[in-house]
Amino acid sequence: MLEQSIIKDIIVAALAEDIGSGDVTTSSILTGEEMGGARAVAKSRMIVAGIDVFKEVFLHNDPDVCFGQSTIDGQEAMPGDVLVELSGRLAAILTAERVALNLLQRMCGIATMTRSYVEAVKGTTARILDTRKTLPGLRILDKYAVRVGGGFNHRIGLYDGILVKDNHIEAAGGIKSAVERVRQAAPHTLRIEVEAATLQHVKEALAAGVDIIMLDNMSLDQMREAVDCIKGRALVEASGNVTMERVRAIADCGVDYISVGALTHSVTAADISLKVTGNR
């Protein structure tokens, strides 16, 4: 579930950015008292995510907006399907339209892409993970959409997971030194993950007793060799150069996790339109 206070902060900032001192176009055309309805309609196949966020945008702008037929997160929608019906003051609906659609389209796009990756590795033991390559300010929504699509979240931020990357290793003078420092300073409840770009790095990480080894930008042959070397002594994550065309082959190497930055940094927004259905 999404934390309501975080959603509110995102919506408040987004509406303030868009509306500024006022919606000049809408206020010039409408008095603000005209009543009517609108429908959010899918224009392509998608996995729905962010319906409650979409609704909250309108409710923040006008608490009297009402909602009728609605899909639910995780549901598949086809072109022409009505995702949400709403009614109320048309001026309030039109003013909130763009922000509501921006958030819904992004979240549906992420969930849809995630579902495609999850389906591609079906039948293997690999789980699809997201990364921290999210849109600043929208991370909590991005990662929620990944879960709706059937994926899993990597760490939310720098505070809830340990990932020793190449620059940490360089700064510490090696994997052994970096891991020793982490063990001395970081909470013992957090698992330690180390990035490995070579088989030698994998062996050093194993010797250091880490919990997860991230195989960074390795070829398929290198990944298979690394998995064989690890032999279950640590969990294995594949990262870097993960594409839809390649993800199944990566999963077949025997890795436990596959992290896909594209889920959030290269997402294509789902095609959704909001159509006013009349006024009264």
Side-chain angles (χ1 to χ4, degrees), residues 116-122 124 126 128 197 215-224 237-255 257-260 262:
S116 296
Y117 273 91
V118 169
E119 288 295 324
V121 302
K122 195 171 182 178
T124 73
I128 298 296
L215 308 181
D216 182 48
N217 282 292
M218 287 189 177
S219 68
L220 294 175
D221 287 340
Q222 288 174 316
M223 278 189 268
R224 283 188 283 266
E237 176 183 340
S239 181
N241 194 26
V242 179
T243 63
M244 183 60 67
E245 293 74 24
R246 194 168 178 257
V247 69
R248 178 70 190 207
I250 293 173
D252 287 337
C253 290
V255 301
Y257 307 112
I258 303 174
S259 53
V260 187

Short mmCIF file of all heavy atoms in Angstrom, two decimals, residues 116-122 124 126 128 197 215-224 237-255 257-260 262:
data_model
loop_
_atom_site.label_atom_id
_atom_site.label_comp_id
_atom_site.label_asym_id
_atom_site.label_seq_id
_atom_site.Cartn_x
_atom_site.Cartn_y
_atom_site.Cartn_z
N SER A 116 5.79 -7.39 -18.48
CA SER A 116 6.41 -8.02 -19.65
C SER A 116 7.70 -8.74 -19.26
O SER A 116 7.97 -9.86 -19.73
CB SER A 116 6.71 -6.96 -20.71
OG SER A 116 5.51 -6.39 -21.20
N TYR A 117 8.50 -8.12 -18.40
CA TYR A 117 9.74 -8.75 -17.95
C TYR A 117 9.45 -9.97 -17.08
O TYR A 117 10.11 -11.01 -17.18
CB TYR A 117 10.61 -7.75 -17.18
CG TYR A 117 11.51 -6.93 -18.06
CD1 TYR A 117 11.10 -5.70 -18.57
CD2 TYR A 117 12.79 -7.38 -18.40
CE1 TYR A 117 11.93 -4.94 -19.40
CE2 TYR A 117 13.63 -6.64 -19.21
CZ TYR A 117 13.20 -5.41 -19.70
OH TYR A 117 14.03 -4.68 -20.52
N VAL A 118 8.46 -9.84 -16.21
CA VAL A 118 8.09 -10.95 -15.33
C VAL A 118 7.62 -12.15 -16.17
O VAL A 118 8.00 -13.30 -15.90
CB VAL A 118 6.99 -10.52 -14.34
CG1 VAL A 118 6.42 -11.74 -13.61
CG2 VAL A 118 7.55 -9.52 -13.35
N GLU A 119 6.82 -11.89 -17.18
CA GLU A 119 6.35 -12.97 -18.06
C GLU A 119 7.49 -13.61 -18.82
O GLU A 119 7.48 -14.82 -19.08
CB GLU A 119 5.30 -12.42 -19.03
CG GLU A 119 3.96 -12.07 -18.39
CD GLU A 119 3.25 -13.29 -17.84
OE1 GLU A 119 3.34 -14.36 -18.47
OE2 GLU A 119 2.62 -13.17 -16.77
N ALA A 120 8.49 -12.80 -19.19
CA ALA A 120 9.62 -13.31 -19.97
C ALA A 120 10.46 -14.32 -19.19
O ALA A 120 11.09 -15.20 -19.80
CB ALA A 120 10.50 -12.15 -20.44
N VAL A 121 10.50 -14.22 -17.85
CA VAL A 121 11.31 -15.14 -17.05
C VAL A 121 10.46 -16.19 -16.34
O VAL A 121 10.95 -16.92 -15.47
CB VAL A 121 12.18 -14.38 -16.03
CG1 VAL A 121 13.09 -13.39 -16.74
CG2 VAL A 121 11.32 -13.67 -14.98
N LYS A 122 9.19 -16.25 -16.70
CA LYS A 122 8.28 -17.21 -16.07
C LYS A 122 8.81 -18.63 -16.23
O LYS A 122 9.28 -19.02 -17.30
CB LYS A 122 6.89 -17.09 -16.71
CG LYS A 122 5.79 -17.77 -15.93
CD LYS A 122 4.44 -17.42 -16.53
CE LYS A 122 3.31 -18.05 -15.72
NZ LYS A 122 1.98 -17.69 -16.27
N THR A 124 11.35 -19.79 -14.47
CA THR A 124 12.67 -19.81 -13.87
C THR A 124 12.54 -19.38 -12.40
O THR A 124 11.47 -19.00 -11.94
CB THR A 124 13.64 -18.85 -14.59
OG1 THR A 124 13.30 -17.49 -14.26
CG2 THR A 124 13.55 -19.03 -16.10
N ALA A 126 14.25 -16.84 -11.21
CA ALA A 126 14.69 -15.44 -11.14
C ALA A 126 13.53 -14.49 -10.84
O ALA A 126 12.43 -14.66 -11.37
CB ALA A 126 15.37 -15.05 -12.44
N ILE A 128 12.36 -10.40 -10.91
CA ILE A 128 12.66 -9.11 -11.54
C ILE A 128 12.65 -8.02 -10.47
O ILE A 128 11.68 -7.87 -9.72
CB ILE A 128 11.64 -8.78 -12.64
CG1 ILE A 128 11.70 -9.83 -13.75
CG2 ILE A 128 11.88 -7.38 -13.20
CD1 ILE A 128 13.02 -9.89 -14.50
N ALA A 197 32.49 -7.32 -11.01
CA ALA A 197 32.59 -7.18 -12.46
C ALA A 197 33.39 -8.31 -13.11
O ALA A 197 33.35 -8.50 -14.32
CB ALA A 197 33.22 -5.84 -12.82
N LEU A 215 26.34 -9.47 -10.19
CA LEU A 215 27.17 -9.67 -11.38
C LEU A 215 26.93 -8.49 -12.31
O LEU A 215 25.87 -8.36 -12.91
CB LEU A 215 26.80 -10.99 -12.06
CG LEU A 215 26.81 -12.23 -11.15
CD1 LEU A 215 26.45 -13.47 -11.94
CD2 LEU A 215 28.14 -12.38 -10.44
N ASP A 216 27.92 -7.62 -12.42
CA ASP A 216 27.75 -6.35 -13.11
C ASP A 216 28.21 -6.42 -14.56
O ASP A 216 29.41 -6.60 -14.82
CB ASP A 216 28.52 -5.26 -12.36
CG ASP A 216 28.34 -3.90 -13.01
OD1 ASP A 216 27.19 -3.53 -13.31
OD2 ASP A 216 29.36 -3.22 -13.22
N ASN A 217 27.26 -6.28 -15.49
CA ASN A 217 27.57 -6.21 -16.92
C ASN A 217 28.41 -7.39 -17.42
O ASN A 217 29.30 -7.23 -18.25
CB ASN A 217 28.29 -4.90 -17.25
CG ASN A 217 27.35 -3.73 -17.32
OD1 ASN A 217 26.52 -3.63 -18.22
ND2 ASN A 217 27.45 -2.83 -16.34
N MET A 218 28.11 -8.56 -16.92
CA MET A 218 28.82 -9.76 -17.37
C MET A 218 28.15 -10.37 -18.59
O MET A 218 26.95 -10.20 -18.80
CB MET A 218 28.87 -10.81 -16.26
CG MET A 218 29.79 -10.50 -15.11
SD MET A 218 29.97 -11.93 -14.00
CE MET A 218 31.17 -11.29 -12.82
N SER A 219 28.94 -11.08 -19.38
CA SER A 219 28.39 -11.83 -20.51
C SER A 219 27.65 -13.05 -19.95
O SER A 219 27.80 -13.40 -18.77
CB SER A 219 29.50 -12.29 -21.44
OG SER A 219 30.31 -13.27 -20.79
N LEU A 220 26.88 -13.71 -20.78
CA LEU A 220 26.14 -14.89 -20.33
C LEU A 220 27.10 -15.98 -19.87
O LEU A 220 26.87 -16.64 -18.85
CB LEU A 220 25.24 -15.40 -21.45
CG LEU A 220 24.10 -14.47 -21.87
CD1 LEU A 220 23.35 -15.05 -23.07
CD2 LEU A 220 23.12 -14.24 -20.72
N ASP A 221 28.19 -16.18 -20.60
CA ASP A 221 29.17 -17.19 -20.22
C ASP A 221 29.80 -16.85 -18.87
O ASP A 221 29.99 -17.74 -18.03
CB ASP A 221 30.27 -17.30 -21.28
CG ASP A 221 29.79 -18.00 -22.55
OD1 ASP A 221 28.76 -18.72 -22.48
OD2 ASP A 221 30.43 -17.83 -23.61
N GLN A 222 30.11 -15.58 -18.65
CA GLN A 222 30.68 -15.18 -17.37
C GLN A 222 29.69 -15.39 -16.24
O GLN A 222 30.07 -15.81 -15.13
CB GLN A 222 31.09 -13.70 -17.43
CG GLN A 222 32.32 -13.42 -18.28
CD GLN A 222 32.58 -11.93 -18.42
OE1 GLN A 222 31.66 -11.15 -18.65
NE2 GLN A 222 33.84 -11.53 -18.27
N MET A 223 28.42 -15.10 -16.48
CA MET A 223 27.40 -15.29 -15.45
C MET A 223 27.26 -16.77 -15.08
O MET A 223 27.17 -17.12 -13.90
CB MET A 223 26.05 -14.73 -15.91
CG MET A 223 25.92 -13.24 -15.72
SD MET A 223 24.25 -12.63 -16.02
CE MET A 223 24.37 -12.21 -17.74
N ARG A 224 27.24 -17.62 -16.09
CA ARG A 224 27.14 -19.05 -15.80
C ARG A 224 28.33 -19.53 -14.98
O ARG A 224 28.18 -20.33 -14.05
CB ARG A 224 27.02 -19.83 -17.12
CG ARG A 224 25.64 -19.78 -17.76
CD ARG A 224 25.52 -20.71 -18.92
NE ARG A 224 26.18 -20.18 -20.10
CZ ARG A 224 25.56 -19.47 -21.05
NH1 ARG A 224 24.27 -19.21 -20.95
NH2 ARG A 224 26.23 -19.02 -22.10
N GLU A 237 22.64 -11.74 -8.07
CA GLU A 237 21.85 -10.76 -8.83
C GLU A 237 22.59 -10.40 -10.11
O GLU A 237 23.80 -10.14 -10.08
CB GLU A 237 21.64 -9.49 -7.99
CG GLU A 237 20.91 -8.38 -8.74
CD GLU A 237 20.79 -7.11 -7.92
OE1 GLU A 237 20.93 -7.17 -6.69
OE2 GLU A 237 20.57 -6.04 -8.53
N ALA A 238 21.89 -10.39 -11.22
CA ALA A 238 22.45 -9.95 -12.50
C ALA A 238 22.01 -8.52 -12.74
O ALA A 238 20.85 -8.16 -12.52
CB ALA A 238 21.98 -10.85 -13.63
N SER A 239 22.94 -7.68 -13.19
CA SER A 239 22.61 -6.27 -13.42
C SER A 239 23.42 -5.75 -14.59
O SER A 239 24.54 -6.19 -14.84
CB SER A 239 22.94 -5.46 -12.15
OG SER A 239 22.62 -4.11 -12.33
N GLY A 240 22.84 -4.80 -15.31
CA GLY A 240 23.54 -4.17 -16.42
C GLY A 240 23.25 -4.85 -17.75
O GLY A 240 23.27 -6.09 -17.86
N ASN A 241 22.94 -4.05 -18.75
CA ASN A 241 22.65 -4.55 -20.10
C ASN A 241 21.53 -5.58 -20.10
O ASN A 241 21.57 -6.57 -20.83
CB ASN A 241 23.92 -5.14 -20.73
CG ASN A 241 23.79 -5.36 -22.22
OD1 ASN A 241 23.02 -4.67 -22.90
ND2 ASN A 241 24.52 -6.32 -22.76
N VAL A 242 20.52 -5.34 -19.28
CA VAL A 242 19.36 -6.23 -19.25
C VAL A 242 18.29 -5.66 -20.18
O VAL A 242 17.79 -4.56 -19.97
CB VAL A 242 18.79 -6.36 -17.83
CG1 VAL A 242 17.56 -7.27 -17.85
CG2 VAL A 242 19.84 -6.91 -16.88
N THR A 243 17.96 -6.41 -21.21
CA THR A 243 16.94 -6.01 -22.16
C THR A 243 15.88 -7.11 -22.25
O THR A 243 16.10 -8.24 -21.78
CB THR A 243 17.52 -5.79 -23.56
OG1 THR A 243 18.07 -7.04 -24.03
CG2 THR A 243 18.63 -4.75 -23.53
N MET A 244 14.75 -6.80 -22.84
CA MET A 244 13.70 -7.79 -23.00
C MET A 244 14.20 -8.97 -23.83
O MET A 244 13.83 -10.13 -23.57
CB MET A 244 12.47 -7.15 -23.66
CG MET A 244 11.29 -8.08 -23.79
SD MET A 244 10.69 -8.71 -22.21
CE MET A 244 10.08 -7.19 -21.49
N GLU A 245 15.03 -8.68 -24.81
CA GLU A 245 15.54 -9.74 -25.69
C GLU A 245 16.52 -10.65 -24.96
O GLU A 245 16.70 -11.81 -25.33
CB GLU A 245 16.24 -9.11 -26.90
CG GLU A 245 15.32 -8.35 -27.86
CD GLU A 245 14.88 -7.00 -27.31
OE1 GLU A 245 15.60 -6.44 -26.43
OE2 GLU A 245 13.82 -6.51 -27.72
N ARG A 246 17.13 -10.16 -23.91
CA ARG A 246 18.21 -10.88 -23.24
C ARG A 246 17.81 -11.45 -21.88
O ARG A 246 18.49 -12.31 -21.34
CB ARG A 246 19.40 -9.92 -23.08
CG ARG A 246 20.73 -10.53 -22.72
CD ARG A 246 21.85 -9.52 -22.88
NE ARG A 246 23.14 -10.08 -22.50
CZ ARG A 246 23.76 -9.82 -21.35
NH1 ARG A 246 23.21 -8.99 -20.48
NH2 ARG A 246 24.92 -10.37 -21.06
N VAL A 247 16.70 -10.97 -21.33
CA VAL A 247 16.40 -11.28 -19.93
C VAL A 247 16.15 -12.77 -19.69
O VAL A 247 16.55 -13.31 -18.64
CB VAL A 247 15.21 -10.44 -19.43
CG1 VAL A 247 13.90 -10.86 -20.10
CG2 VAL A 247 15.10 -10.50 -17.92
N ARG A 248 15.54 -13.47 -20.64
CA ARG A 248 15.29 -14.89 -20.43
C ARG A 248 16.60 -15.68 -20.38
O ARG A 248 16.78 -16.56 -19.53
CB ARG A 248 14.40 -15.44 -21.55
CG ARG A 248 14.13 -16.95 -21.42
CD ARG A 248 13.24 -17.24 -20.24
NE ARG A 248 13.15 -18.66 -19.94
CZ ARG A 248 12.10 -19.22 -19.35
NH1 ARG A 248 11.05 -18.49 -19.02
NH2 ARG A 248 12.08 -20.50 -19.07
N ALA A 249 17.53 -15.33 -21.24
CA ALA A 249 18.83 -16.01 -21.25
C ALA A 249 19.58 -15.75 -19.95
O ALA A 249 20.28 -16.64 -19.44
CB ALA A 249 19.66 -15.54 -22.45
N ILE A 250 19.43 -14.55 -19.42
CA ILE A 250 20.07 -14.23 -18.14
C ILE A 250 19.46 -15.08 -17.02
O ILE A 250 20.17 -15.66 -16.19
CB ILE A 250 19.91 -12.73 -17.81
CG1 ILE A 250 20.71 -11.88 -18.81
CG2 ILE A 250 20.36 -12.43 -16.38
CD1 ILE A 250 20.48 -10.39 -18.67
N ALA A 251 18.13 -15.17 -17.02
CA ALA A 251 17.45 -15.98 -16.00
C ALA A 251 17.88 -17.44 -16.08
O ALA A 251 18.06 -18.11 -15.05
CB ALA A 251 15.94 -15.86 -16.17
N ASP A 252 18.08 -17.94 -17.29
CA ASP A 252 18.47 -19.34 -17.48
C ASP A 252 19.89 -19.63 -17.00
O ASP A 252 20.28 -20.80 -16.90
CB ASP A 252 18.34 -19.73 -18.95
CG ASP A 252 16.89 -19.89 -19.38
OD1 ASP A 252 16.03 -20.13 -18.49
OD2 ASP A 252 16.59 -19.76 -20.58
N CYS A 253 20.66 -18.57 -16.67
CA CYS A 253 22.00 -18.77 -16.11
C CYS A 253 21.95 -19.22 -14.66
O CYS A 253 22.97 -19.63 -14.10
CB CYS A 253 22.82 -17.48 -16.21
SG CYS A 253 23.30 -17.01 -17.89
N GLY A 254 20.77 -19.13 -14.04
CA GLY A 254 20.62 -19.60 -12.67
C GLY A 254 20.71 -18.51 -11.61
O GLY A 254 20.84 -18.82 -10.42
N VAL A 255 20.61 -17.25 -12.02
CA VAL A 255 20.67 -16.16 -11.03
C VAL A 255 19.36 -16.09 -10.25
O VAL A 255 18.31 -16.55 -10.71
CB VAL A 255 20.95 -14.80 -11.72
CG1 VAL A 255 22.27 -14.85 -12.47
CG2 VAL A 255 19.82 -14.42 -12.67
N TYR A 257 18.15 -13.03 -8.89
CA TYR A 257 17.53 -11.75 -9.16
C TYR A 257 18.08 -11.14 -10.44
O TYR A 257 19.25 -11.34 -10.78
CB TYR A 257 17.79 -10.76 -8.02
CG TYR A 257 17.42 -11.24 -6.65
CD1 TYR A 257 18.40 -11.50 -5.69
CD2 TYR A 257 16.08 -11.43 -6.29
CE1 TYR A 257 18.06 -11.94 -4.42
CE2 TYR A 257 15.74 -11.86 -5.02
CZ TYR A 257 16.74 -12.12 -4.08
OH TYR A 257 16.39 -12.55 -2.83
N ILE A 258 17.23 -10.37 -11.11
CA ILE A 258 17.66 -9.59 -12.27
C ILE A 258 17.14 -8.18 -12.07
O ILE A 258 15.93 -7.94 -12.04
CB ILE A 258 17.11 -10.17 -13.59
CG1 ILE A 258 17.51 -11.63 -13.75
CG2 ILE A 258 17.61 -9.34 -14.78
CD1 ILE A 258 16.87 -12.31 -14.95
N SER A 259 18.06 -7.23 -11.89
CA SER A 259 17.64 -5.84 -11.70
C SER A 259 17.60 -5.13 -13.06
O SER A 259 18.52 -5.25 -13.87
CB SER A 259 18.57 -5.11 -10.74
OG SER A 259 19.92 -5.22 -11.11
N VAL A 260 16.51 -4.39 -13.27
CA VAL A 260 16.25 -3.77 -14.56
C VAL A 260 16.00 -2.27 -14.36
O VAL A 260 14.90 -1.86 -13.98
CB VAL A 260 15.03 -4.41 -15.26
CG1 VAL A 260 14.89 -3.87 -16.69
CG2 VAL A 260 15.14 -5.93 -15.27
N ALA A 262 15.68 -0.04 -16.58
CA ALA A 262 14.76 0.49 -17.59
C ALA A 262 13.31 0.53 -17.11
O ALA A 262 12.50 1.30 -17.64
CB ALA A 262 14.85 -0.35 -18.87
#
